[in-house]
Each structure stands twice: as structure tokens, then as C-alpha cells.
Amino acid sequence: MILYTMKCIDIKNNDEGMYARRKEEYRYYDLKEDGKLIQKEKSKMSYYSRVGNCVNELTEKEYYDIRENDIKCYFVEETKYGSEIIDEFNFVNDLFDMIKCSMNAIGIEYYWIQLITIRNHHEIFKFSNVSVHQKYELNRYILYVGVLGKDIKGIDIRVNRKLEGYLSELSSQLRNINDIILGAYDDFVKKYKNVRVCEGKYDCILSPEITGMLIHECVGHMAESDVLEYEEYTKLKCSNKRLSVYDVADLIEYPDIPCPLVYDDEGESTTKVCLIYEGSFCQQMISSQSVNYMGTGNVRMGIDGKKMIRMRNTFLQKGVSHVPEMFKAVKNGYFLSEASLGCIQKDGEFQLFVNKAYEIINGCIVSSVEDVMLRGNAFNFLDNISMLSDEIHWHSLICGKRGSDVFVGVGAPYVKARVELKPAHSMWNEKVVNDAKKRI
């Protein structure tokens, strides 16, 4: 992550406002059948000016004309935070070669590897009598390493590991890549003879990843003001006083968030938004263009160029319980560890596909189980959370809304809740197994 700030003097304009440029790049690195590495890239670029509540889209030429002619910067002060500069393509080649060697050494025939890099570049001229020129760059990495095959019943199964973070965090995790792959393979072997889950309601422990996805779906999307009107939102009921949910973007206050932002794509400063406070629905994420006062800094542009109200880093506040105590409180239930897909309807009905889960008997994990579907009503789910752990873990997601994708973060503790489960057929068909090494 690079954050560069320079204080400067604007000699042409005494109003208060800003000019900004924002670029977001997504790069996907995949392995082809012949072992070659392929790269796909998507990017978006936006230029805009803002004076008061008036936001204007700019062309690239208009933006650079403004930089050249209207803004005169005199160096006063600068600050920098840790720079990460690498030869990315060679880094990815070396990374994939290392993982392939580990897979072959263990004897794993069908596998897949994908690396996603997300780059956010901001350049902001915020002007008044004394202005600030700020450059901001975020490079985030998400690595998937998976093992593919069939279980004893001939059903396609997939077990994967997800590593994520900034380059230094990813490099630290990769020191244990052999153990990570062995862990995935061990889970694959256990899943080969897994237990079938009968449809019904169970006491479950939900991992931070699954809890974060559910909070994202059940609370976050409901709190987007282009989904529900404010009057509808504040009428939503949650009787669980244990719960407080926030959407944040400040890297200084929250140094572990995956998706820090300084300004949104309307030029609005990002603020902390309290979505639920002790069980009561309160604030919404709003756009300054839809109200007569300042927005919350949640307007984001997808790769397709659509601007919508979107989440940034949504998290459930931690509780006071220790994780071992939470497991001991489950006599007959399940531990839901990893999920791949989730969705919610406007009436609050949701579904979440869980591809890694374990049976719990008398507080102990006893066996792996088949893939399951977690479903129910968002408000019932929130009410049924009875324990929250005393630790929060952050994860990254690619969130889709009306066909437009953006990168977001989710944070949550472990929770104990009574939820409805049903068996789910694997989403991975014969073609995926046969073409495992050429996944694009």
C-alpha cells in the first residue's frame, strides 16, 4: 500500500472543492492445460470535479488541462507509507511454479490455481486557500489453490484454500504453502466419505468468513438507500441487542480492512456508517446526489462504469465469548467454515452455499459433511445469534449488484446461531474436473 500526501497552495481558486482521478484494475492470472500462465485484465477510470455539492464528470483531457493550468502546487510537506513495488508477472510465474511443484510432489492430479490482484489508484487535489495533493495506491492479492475430484458417490467435489492480503501478508502466508496444500488435500480425503446433512434447523458455529458474508447480504444490501427507502429501512425489526454493524473505509482507524478508500466516486469523503446499533437499524449508506446534504462516501463505480451505492468494509462488532466455549455450547450441530455464493431478496429471504462444513457432537468436531445450503430470513437469522466471539477476522469479496462488480471487505467474529440447513448438490460438474488445469 502506498499513501502519498503533499500540501500545496492553489493560486487560481479560492473556493472549496476538489479534482480527482480514480483508477481501479482487476487482474486475473490462471493456469492453462499446457502449464502456461494467462492474464486477463479489467480496469476502469473516472475523472471528476466537485465544488460544494456540485459534481461534474470530466474527460481525461479536461482533467489534465486543470492539473496543468489551474492548479499550481508549491511543496510544503509530504508523508509516505510503505511502498510495495514488484515485477508482478515474474512474481506470479514463480508463485504458480512453486505451487505446481508442491501439488506434483504430493501426487495431486486435478487442481486449479488463480490469483486476483486488485489495484486502486487515487489522485486528489482538494483545494481551498491551502490545498492538499494526495496520491493513494492499494494493491491487494487474493490467491485460490484448489483440489478437485469426486466423492465415493460420484458427486463432484472441490476443496480450496484462500490466501489474501497485501504483498507482505501474502508472502508471509506462502512460507507455509506445503502445509496449506496438504491441509486442502487432507480435507479432500475426509470429504470423500462425508456425511449427509438432513434438512432441518440446527445449532451451528459460523466462521468469520460465513458470518461476514451473511452480514454483507442480510444487513449491508438492505442498508443501501437505492435498495430500500429510509422509512422502510428504519422500520426493520431486530430484537437482538448484541448486534452492532458498521460500514467503514478509514485505514488509519481500521488498519486491517481489505478495501480502504479516501473518497468515493462522487468525490465525497468516506465516513463511518452505523447500520445497526445494539439491534436497532439506524443509518443508511447514501449518495449526496439523491439527498440535499452530504453523502456517506459509498458511491462506487463498477468495472462496467455503473455508479451505485455500494459497501466498502462492512463488519459485525465482536462479542465477549471465547471460541472453545462456543463449540462446547453445541451438543448436536455443525461448524460452517467456508462459503462460495450468497444472495438475498428484497423481502429478506437469503441463501448461502456452504462448501466446507463439519458435524459437531458434544462440542467436538467429529466428521466432514457434504456441501449444504444455509437459507432463511435475514431478520430471523439476526435474532437467532446467541453468542459472538471476542475476535474479528477480515476477508475480501467481489460483490455483484445489478450486474456490476466491485471489491469489498467483510469482517466478523465467530457466532453461534440456530439456522436452517439443507443438502446442496455440488456446483462443480464433470467438465470442471476434466478441465481443471485450464480454468479461465
Side-chain angles (χ1 to χ4, degrees), residues 178-292:
N178 286 334
D179 292 338
I180 290 167
I181 294 172
L182 282 170
Y185 183 68
D186 184 53
D187 284 346
F188 178 86
V189 172
K190 290 177 182 176
K191 208 168 186 179
Y192 179 75
K193 296 182 178 180
N194 50 22
V195 176
R196 188 177 180 83
V197 176
C198 295
E199 185 171 352
K201 292 185 177 181
Y202 300 92
D203 289 330
C204 294
I205 303 297
L206 280 59
S207 71
E209 179 180 348
I210 287 188
T211 305
M213 288 185 70
L214 285 172
I215 293 299
H216 173 94
E217 297 292 343
C218 297
V219 179
H221 281 300
M222 291 288 186
E224 293 165 341
S225 61
D226 57 351
V227 175
L228 285 182
E229 295 291 337
Y230 180 72
E231 290 75 13
E232 294 180 83
Y233 179 71
T234 53
K235 288 178 182 177
L236 298 178
K237 300 296 183 184
C238 174
S239 60
N240 197 335
K241 302 300 182 183
R242 301 179 182 88
L243 306 185
S244 294
V245 179
Y246 300 88
D247 187 74
V248 299
D250 187 354
L251 188 65
I252 305 301
E253 186 176 357
Y254 299 95
D256 296 326
I257 58 176
C259 183
L261 295 172
V262 181
Y263 294 92
D264 72 357
D265 283 319
E266 281 187 338
E268 194 70 72
S269 298
T270 53
T271 62
K272 181 178 181 177
V273 187
C274 179
L275 309 181
I276 296 179
Y277 182 71
E278 295 184 353
S280 298
F281 288 82
C282 39
Q283 288 182 282
Q284 276 189 303
M285 296 170 274
I286 59 175
S287 161
S288 61
Q289 300 303 295
S290 60
V291 295
N292 293 323

Side-chain angles (χ1 to χ4, degrees), residues 368-380:
S368 177
V369 300
E370 286 185 355
D371 297 340
V372 296
M373 187 71 75
L374 191 162
R375 64 180 184 178
N377 180 272
F379 313 110
N380 291 338

Side-chain angles (χ1 to χ4, degrees), residues 157-158 160 191 194 197 204-207 209-211 213-214 334-342 350-358 368-375 419-428:
I157 57 175
R158 178 190 73 160
N160 65 269
K191 208 168 186 179
N194 50 22
V197 176
C204 294
I205 303 297
L206 280 59
S207 71
E209 179 180 348
I210 287 188
T211 305
M213 288 185 70
L214 285 172
Y334 297 94
F335 170 45
L336 309 182
S337 179
E338 294 179 7
S340 57
L341 292 173
F350 71 87
Q351 289 187 330
L352 190 70
F353 184 86
V354 180
N355 53 17
K356 186 176 180 182
Y358 302 90
S368 177
V369 300
E370 286 185 355
D371 297 340
V372 296
M373 187 71 75
L374 191 162
R375 64 180 184 178
V419 297
E420 183 181 354
L421 302 178
K422 73 171 186 176
H425 294 296
S426 175
M427 299 175 62
W428 304 97

Side-chain angles (χ1 to χ4, degrees), residues 2-252:
I2 303 170
L3 179 60
Y4 168 88
T5 301
M6 182 175 71
K7 291 184 179 179
C8 55
I9 298 174
D10 174 5
I11 62 173
K12 289 288 187 74
N13 199 326
N14 291 321
D15 295 327
E16 290 197 3
M18 64 180 292
Y19 299 105
R21 173 179 71 106
R22 180 167 180 261
K23 183 178 182 182
E24 190 165 310
E25 296 176 286
Y26 292 77
R27 292 180 184 169
Y28 299 81
Y29 296 93
D30 288 274
L31 204 62
K32 292 187 71 174
E33 190 174 18
D34 58 7
K36 290 185 178 179
L37 187 65
I38 62 169
Q39 174 186 338
K40 296 170 68 176
E41 183 172 325
K42 298 179 180 179
S43 65
K44 63 184 182 183
M45 181 75 81
S46 59
Y47 305 90
Y48 50 87
S49 66
R50 179 188 185 93
V51 179
N53 261 6
C54 181
V55 178
N56 294 310
E57 298 276 351
L58 301 175
T59 65
E60 182 177 3
K61 182 178 185 305
E62 288 172 334
Y63 174 79
Y64 282 105
D65 283 346
I66 288 169
R67 275 194 54 183
E68 189 71 24
N69 301 320
D70 293 353
I71 299 176
K72 303 299 180 184
C73 298
Y74 295 89
F75 175 81
V76 179
E77 177 185 343
E78 70 172 355
T79 57
K80 291 185 180 180
Y81 295 91
S83 172
E84 295 180 338
I85 301 173
I86 61 168
D87 182 342
E88 184 172 275
F89 197 79
N90 286 334
F91 165 75
V92 175
N93 264 307
D94 293 342
L95 171 63
F96 277 43
D97 286 343
M98 178 178 65
I99 295 173
K100 285 189 291 182
C101 289
S102 295
M103 290 286 189
N104 294 333
I106 296 169
I108 300 172
E109 184 176 2
Y110 296 110
Y111 57 87
W112 66 281
I113 312 168
Q114 184 184 60
L115 178 71
I116 305 173
T117 68
I118 301 100
R119 298 176 176 274
N120 273 309
H121 307 267
H122 296 257
E123 183 176 40
I124 301 155
F125 292 90
K126 188 174 182 181
F127 56 81
S128 57
N129 289 332
V130 176
S131 300
V132 174
H133 173 207
Q134 184 176 73
K135 290 183 179 179
Y136 173 91
E137 182 177 329
L138 163 73
N139 298 330
R140 186 86 178 173
Y141 298 84
I142 306 175
L143 174 67
Y144 294 95
V145 179
V147 180
L148 300 168
K150 292 179 179 292
D151 66 10
I152 198 170
K153 301 170 188 174
I155 298 175
D156 299 331
I157 57 175
R158 178 190 73 160
V159 174
N160 65 269
R161 287 290 187 269
K162 177 183 175 183
L163 311 178
E164 62 177 300
Y166 301 113
L167 179 62
S168 57
E169 295 169 329
L170 184 66
S171 299
S172 177
Q173 296 173 69
L174 288 171
R175 293 171 190 159
N176 302 315
I177 189 63
N178 286 334
D179 292 338
I180 290 167
I181 294 172
L182 282 170
Y185 183 68
D186 184 53
D187 284 346
F188 178 86
V189 172
K190 290 177 182 176
K191 208 168 186 179
Y192 179 75
K193 296 182 178 180
N194 50 22
V195 176
R196 188 177 180 83
V197 176
C198 295
E199 185 171 352
K201 292 185 177 181
Y202 300 92
D203 289 330
C204 294
I205 303 297
L206 280 59
S207 71
E209 179 180 348
I210 287 188
T211 305
M213 288 185 70
L214 285 172
I215 293 299
H216 173 94
E217 297 292 343
C218 297
V219 179
H221 281 300
M222 291 288 186
E224 293 165 341
S225 61
D226 57 351
V227 175
L228 285 182
E229 295 291 337
Y230 180 72
E231 290 75 13
E232 294 180 83
Y233 179 71
T234 53
K235 288 178 182 177
L236 298 178
K237 300 296 183 184
C238 174
S239 60
N240 197 335
K241 302 300 182 183
R242 301 179 182 88
L243 306 185
S244 294
V245 179
Y246 300 88
D247 187 74
V248 299
D250 187 354
L251 188 65
I252 305 301

Side-chain angles (χ1 to χ4, degrees), residues 300-314:
R300 302 180 61 192
M301 183 190 293
I303 292 296
D304 56 0
K306 295 178 183 176
K307 284 187 181 181
M308 286 182 282
I309 298 170
R310 309 298 294 266
M311 285 168 271
R312 300 151 316 177
N313 304 273
T314 310

